[in-house]
Amino acid sequence: MLYQQIARNKRKTYVVFAIFFALLGLIGWVVGKLFFNNALSGIVIALAITLFYAFTIYFQSTSVVMQMNRAQPIKNVEQAPDLWHIVEDLSLVAHVPQPDIYIIDDPSPNAFATGRDPQHAAVAVTSGLYQLMDREELEGVLGHEISHIRNYDIRVSTISVALSSAIIFISSMLGNMYRWGWLFGGGGNNDRDNSRNGNILQIVLYIVGLLFAIIGPIIATIVRLAISRNREYLADASGVELTRNPQGLINALKKLEQVTQPMQHVDDASAALYITDPQKGKHSLQQLFDTHPPLADRIQRLERM
């Protein structure tokens, strides 16, 4: 089961790439037709921006994601001895290289893992989590996160963050170009045939372009939903396998369930990486687009173990 999930996560990487490069190509086609009267130009621009984001975040995922979330590295064991030793021990049990360790100065308890593979991985915990959890509970949380590393969940997550960031940027750019094109007559479409069919096509393109500009953040959320909820259940089970102590993670999740304080600074593109919703349902439609199963369901599954 575990190794099948790892293989599925690796294949999912390429599926996510293919689907969303195609989607971004479509957005680029609309941009090209609207503002350059050349679909190919828009496609090239959209894919170039996406490639830049994808390769930058993929090959520098740890530093980029940590900067996005204002995390600071733990460089030696003296800075956080309990945290350091727990990560060191669990990495040995999981047979993965010890990931880099980061602290986020935030009172809301949370944690996440990131990286492109186990050889280039990192874990981060908030200062609130480090202070709230006892050693047993901290082991449960870190076992969960190191399981994400061992299961290659972090690769899919990293690519989702990259594509999400690219879509948000392109949507913002499209919105600005739309306003500019509307004011200045379509940005290069002045020579378009004024026939009825040409006018209808232009109106349709403007509507589609406006829709893409508006729903870009929603599309970005759908990218994050490419990360299956099942990976959280799997990481919970895998984490218990590492610690041999389900009660540690159960107690940790129960404490997290009681927290209502959102994190102070959360990057939207990487919010899905955290062990629990860092925004604490700030959005009215949060549950509709939630990438994590409810904590109560996760606790029940662990209690049955």
Side-chain angles (χ1 to χ4, degrees):
M1 171 65 179
L2 177 61
Y3 294 105
Q4 290 176 349
Q5 181 66 31
I6 293 173
R8 282 196 295 270
N9 281 337
K10 290 181 179 180
R11 290 194 298 270
K12 188 182 295 183
T13 300
Y14 303 107
V15 174
V16 170
F17 257 132
I19 291 174
F20 288 99
F21 269 116
L23 177 60
L24 285 159
L26 178 59
I27 296 175
W29 182 86
V30 173
V31 171
K33 293 292 287 184
L34 272 174
F35 301 103
F36 303 107
N37 201 25
N38 186 331
L40 182 59
S41 297
I43 293 172
V44 170
I45 291 172
L47 293 183
I49 292 171
T50 305
L51 283 170
F52 173 79
Y53 270 92
F55 282 101
T56 298
I57 294 182
Y58 185 75
F59 288 105
Q60 302 181 36
S61 56
T62 297
S63 60
V64 170
V65 174
M66 293 306 174
Q67 287 175 11
M68 290 163 71
N69 291 275
R70 305 187 182 186
Q72 298 298 319
I74 300 296
K75 297 181 179 179
N76 55 64
V77 64
E78 288 78 17
Q79 289 181 263
D82 287 348
L83 185 60
W84 186 282
H85 288 306
I86 290 172
V87 172
E88 184 178 50
D89 293 344
L90 290 173
S91 300
L92 288 172
V93 175
H95 302 290
V96 297
Q98 182 174 337
D100 295 331
I101 306 170
Y102 287 76
I103 285 279
I104 302 171
D105 186 15
D106 195 296
S108 181
N110 225 315
F112 70 85
T114 189
R116 67 178 187 265
D117 55 42
Q119 288 72 39
H120 303 86
V123 295
V125 302
T126 64
S127 55
L129 183 100
Y130 191 40
Q131 294 165 7
L132 178 66
M133 304 292 173
D134 61 28
R135 184 182 177 88
E136 183 182 53
E137 294 159 352
L138 194 57
E139 283 181 346
V141 170
L142 290 169
H144 172 99
E145 297 305 333
I146 289 176
S147 291
H148 277 315
I149 294 172
R150 184 179 67 164
N151 298 352
Y152 278 82
D153 292 325
I154 55 171
R155 176 174 290 179
V156 180
S157 301
T158 296
I159 292 173
S160 296
V161 169
L163 293 177
S164 178
S165 299
I167 291 173
I168 290 171
F169 177 81
I170 293 173
S171 297
S172 175
M173 183 184 71
L174 178 57
N176 291 331
M177 292 178 69
Y178 180 87
R179 287 189 291 272
W180 183 88
W182 181 268
L183 290 173
F184 294 100
N189 284 328
N190 293 328
D191 294 331
R192 176 170 296 187
D193 191 305
N194 288 323
S195 68
R196 181 174 179 176
N197 289 339
N199 289 333
I200 291 174
L201 177 60
Q202 186 174 11
I203 292 171
V204 170
L205 285 173
Y206 267 114
I207 293 172
V208 173
L210 179 61
L211 287 174
F212 274 132
I214 294 173
I215 68 174
I218 297 175
I219 297 174
T221 300
I222 295 173
V223 175
R224 294 197 291 271
L225 289 176
I227 310 170
S228 171
R229 283 182 166 203
N230 287 333
R231 79 187 183 102
E232 293 303 316
Y233 292 125
L234 176 65
D236 287 343
S238 300
V240 169
E241 181 186 358
L242 297 181
T243 63
R244 304 292 180 183
N245 179 18
Q247 198 59 47
L249 183 56
I250 289 171
N251 292 341
L253 294 179
K254 285 182 177 179
K255 284 186 176 181
L256 292 174
E257 193 176 25
Q258 300 304 313
V259 175
T260 58
Q261 180 184 10
M263 290 182 63
Q264 296 173 347
H265 304 286
V266 181
D267 178 80
D268 286 340
S270 58
L273 298 178
Y274 285 88
I275 190 170
T276 185
D277 175 21
Q279 298 169 322
K280 302 303 175 192
K282 283 199 294 187
H283 306 303
S284 59
L285 296 178
Q286 180 69 28
Q287 290 186 341
L288 180 61
F289 297 108
D290 198 358
T291 57
H292 290 66
L295 288 175
D297 290 351
R298 294 166 64 183
I299 292 169
Q300 288 178 0
R301 288 199 180 201
L302 288 169
E303 287 175 339
R304 290 198 292 269
M305 293 181 65

Coordinates of all heavy atoms in Angstrom, one line a residue, residues 32-65:
G32 N -2.8 36.1 -26.1 CA -2.3 36.4 -27.4 C -3.3 37.0 -28.4 O -3.0 38.0 -29.1
K33 N -4.5 36.3 -28.5 CA -5.5 36.8 -29.4 C -6.0 38.2 -29.0 O -6.3 39.0 -29.9 CB -6.6 35.8 -29.4 CG -6.3 34.4 -30.0 CD -6.0 34.5 -31.5 CE -7.3 34.7 -32.3 NZ -7.0 34.7 -33.7
L34 N -6.1 38.4 -27.7 CA -6.7 39.7 -27.2 C -5.8 40.9 -27.4 O -6.2 41.9 -27.9 CB -7.1 39.6 -25.7 CG -8.5 39.0 -25.4 CD1 -8.6 38.9 -23.9 CD2 -9.5 40.0 -25.9
F35 N -4.5 40.7 -27.0 CA -3.6 41.8 -26.9 C -2.5 41.9 -27.9 O -1.8 42.9 -28.1 CB -3.0 41.9 -25.5 CG -4.1 41.9 -24.4 CD1 -4.4 40.8 -23.7 CD2 -4.8 43.1 -24.2 CE1 -5.4 40.9 -22.7 CE2 -5.7 43.2 -23.2 CZ -6.1 42.1 -22.5
F36 N -2.2 40.8 -28.6 CA -1.1 40.8 -29.6 C -1.6 40.4 -31.0 O -0.8 40.4 -31.9 CB 0.0 39.8 -29.2 CG 0.5 40.2 -27.8 CD1 0.3 39.3 -26.7 CD2 1.3 41.3 -27.6 CE1 0.8 39.6 -25.5 CE2 1.9 41.6 -26.4 CZ 1.6 40.7 -25.3
N37 N -2.9 40.0 -31.1 CA -3.5 39.5 -32.3 C -2.6 38.3 -32.9 O -2.5 38.1 -34.1 CB -3.6 40.6 -33.4 CG -4.6 40.2 -34.5 OD1 -5.5 39.5 -34.3 ND2 -4.4 40.8 -35.7
N38 N -2.0 37.6 -31.9 CA -1.1 36.5 -32.3 C -1.2 35.5 -31.1 O -0.6 35.7 -30.1 CB 0.3 37.0 -32.5 CG 1.2 35.8 -33.0 OD1 1.0 34.7 -32.7 ND2 2.2 36.2 -33.8
A39 N -1.9 34.4 -31.3 CA -2.1 33.4 -30.3 C -0.8 32.8 -29.8 O -0.6 32.6 -28.6 CB -3.0 32.3 -30.7
L40 N 0.1 32.6 -30.7 CA 1.4 31.9 -30.4 C 2.2 32.8 -29.4 O 2.8 32.3 -28.5 CB 2.2 31.7 -31.6 CG 3.6 30.9 -31.4 CD1 3.3 29.6 -30.8 CD2 4.3 30.8 -32.7
S41 N 2.2 34.1 -29.6 CA 2.9 35.0 -28.7 C 2.4 34.9 -27.2 O 3.2 34.8 -26.3 CB 2.8 36.4 -29.1 OG 3.3 36.6 -30.4
G42 N 1.1 34.8 -27.1 CA 0.5 34.7 -25.7 C 0.9 33.3 -25.1 O 1.2 33.2 -23.9
I43 N 0.8 32.3 -25.9 CA 1.2 30.9 -25.4 C 2.6 30.9 -24.9 O 2.9 30.3 -23.9 CB 0.9 29.8 -26.5 CG1 -0.6 29.7 -26.7 CG2 1.4 28.5 -26.0 CD1 -1.0 28.8 -27.9
V44 N 3.5 31.4 -25.7 CA 4.9 31.4 -25.4 C 5.2 32.2 -24.1 O 5.9 31.8 -23.2 CB 5.8 32.0 -26.5 CG1 7.2 32.3 -26.1 CG2 5.7 31.1 -27.8
I45 N 4.5 33.4 -24.0 CA 4.7 34.2 -22.7 C 4.2 33.4 -21.5 O 4.8 33.3 -20.5 CB 3.9 35.5 -22.9 CG1 4.6 36.4 -23.9 CG2 3.8 36.2 -21.5 CD1 3.8 37.6 -24.3
A46 N 3.0 32.8 -21.6 CA 2.4 32.1 -20.5 C 3.2 30.9 -20.1 O 3.5 30.7 -18.9 CB 1.0 31.6 -20.8
L47 N 3.7 30.1 -21.1 CA 4.5 28.9 -20.7 C 5.9 29.3 -20.2 O 6.5 28.7 -19.4 CB 4.6 28.0 -22.0 CG 3.3 27.4 -22.4 CD1 3.6 26.5 -23.6 CD2 2.7 26.6 -21.3
A48 N 6.4 30.5 -20.7 CA 7.7 30.9 -20.3 C 7.6 31.3 -18.8 O 8.5 31.0 -18.0 CB 8.2 32.1 -21.1
I49 N 6.6 32.0 -18.4 CA 6.4 32.4 -17.0 C 6.2 31.2 -16.1 O 6.8 31.1 -15.1 CB 5.2 33.3 -16.9 CG1 5.4 34.7 -17.5 CG2 4.8 33.5 -15.4 CD1 4.2 35.6 -17.6
T50 N 5.4 30.2 -16.6 CA 5.2 29.0 -15.9 C 6.5 28.2 -15.7 O 6.8 27.7 -14.6 CB 4.1 28.1 -16.6 OG1 3.0 28.9 -16.8 CG2 3.8 26.9 -15.7
L51 N 7.3 28.1 -16.7 CA 8.5 27.4 -16.7 C 9.5 28.0 -15.6 O 10.2 27.4 -14.9 CB 9.2 27.3 -18.0 CG 8.6 26.2 -19.0 CD1 9.2 26.4 -20.4 CD2 8.9 24.8 -18.5
F52 N 9.5 29.4 -15.7 CA 10.3 30.1 -14.7 C 9.9 29.8 -13.3 O 10.8 29.4 -12.5 CB 10.2 31.6 -15.0 CG 10.9 32.4 -13.9 CD1 12.3 32.6 -14.0 CD2 10.2 33.0 -12.9 CE1 13.0 33.3 -13.0 CE2 10.9 33.8 -12.0 CZ 12.2 33.9 -12.0
Y53 N 8.6 29.9 -13.0 CA 8.1 29.5 -11.7 C 8.4 28.1 -11.3 O 8.9 27.8 -10.2 CB 6.6 29.8 -11.5 CG 6.3 31.2 -11.1 CD1 6.1 32.2 -12.0 CD2 6.2 31.6 -9.8 CE1 5.8 33.5 -11.7 CE2 5.9 32.8 -9.4 CZ 5.7 33.8 -10.3 OH 5.4 35.1 -9.9
A54 N 8.1 27.2 -12.2 CA 8.2 25.8 -11.9 C 9.7 25.4 -11.6 O 10.0 24.7 -10.6 CB 7.7 24.9 -13.1
F55 N 10.6 25.8 -12.5 CA 12.0 25.4 -12.3 C 12.6 26.1 -11.1 O 13.4 25.5 -10.4 CB 12.8 25.7 -13.6 CG 12.6 24.6 -14.6 CD1 11.8 24.8 -15.7 CD2 13.2 23.4 -14.5 CE1 11.6 23.8 -16.7 CE2 13.0 22.4 -15.5 CZ 12.2 22.6 -16.5
T56 N 12.2 27.4 -10.9 CA 12.8 28.1 -9.8 C 12.4 27.5 -8.5 O 13.2 27.2 -7.6 CB 12.3 29.6 -9.8 OG1 12.8 30.2 -11.0 CG2 12.9 30.3 -8.6
I57 N 11.1 27.2 -8.3 CA 10.6 26.6 -7.1 C 11.0 25.2 -7.0 O 11.3 24.7 -5.9 CB 9.0 26.8 -7.0 CG1 8.7 28.3 -6.9 CG2 8.5 26.0 -5.8 CD1 7.2 28.6 -6.7
Y58 N 11.0 24.4 -8.1 CA 11.3 23.0 -8.0 C 12.8 22.8 -7.5 O 13.0 22.0 -6.7 CB 11.1 22.3 -9.4 CG 11.3 20.8 -9.3 CD1 10.4 20.0 -8.8 CD2 12.5 20.3 -9.9 CE1 10.6 18.6 -8.8 CE2 12.7 18.9 -9.9 CZ 11.7 18.1 -9.3 OH 11.9 16.7 -9.3
F59 N 13.7 23.5 -8.1 CA 15.1 23.3 -7.8 C 15.6 24.2 -6.6 O 16.6 23.9 -6.1 CB 16.0 23.7 -9.0 CG 15.9 22.6 -10.1 CD1 15.1 22.9 -11.3 CD2 16.4 21.4 -10.0 CE1 15.0 21.9 -12.3 CE2 16.3 20.4 -11.0 CZ 15.6 20.7 -12.1
Q60 N 14.8 25.1 -6.2 CA 15.1 25.9 -5.0 C 13.9 25.9 -4.0 O 13.6 26.9 -3.4 CB 15.5 27.3 -5.4 CG 16.7 27.4 -6.3 CD 17.1 28.8 -6.7 OE1 17.0 29.7 -5.8 NE2 17.5 29.1 -7.9
S61 N 13.2 24.8 -4.0 CA 11.9 24.8 -3.3 C 12.1 25.1 -1.8 O 11.3 25.8 -1.2 CB 11.3 23.4 -3.5 OG 12.1 22.4 -3.0
T62 N 13.1 24.5 -1.2 CA 13.2 24.8 0.3 C 13.4 26.3 0.6 O 12.7 26.8 1.4 CB 14.4 24.0 0.8 OG1 14.2 22.6 0.7 CG2 14.6 24.3 2.3
S63 N 14.4 26.9 -0.1 CA 14.6 28.3 0.2 C 13.5 29.2 -0.2 O 13.1 30.1 0.5 CB 15.9 28.8 -0.5 OG 15.8 28.6 -1.9
V64 N 12.8 28.9 -1.4 CA 11.7 29.7 -1.8 C 10.5 29.6 -0.9 O 10.0 30.6 -0.4 CB 11.3 29.3 -3.3 CG1 10.0 30.0 -3.7 CG2 12.4 29.7 -4.2
V65 N 10.1 28.4 -0.6 CA 8.9 28.2 0.3 C 9.2 28.7 1.7 O 8.3 29.3 2.3 CB 8.5 26.7 0.3 CG1 7.4 26.5 1.3 CG2 8.1 26.2 -1.1

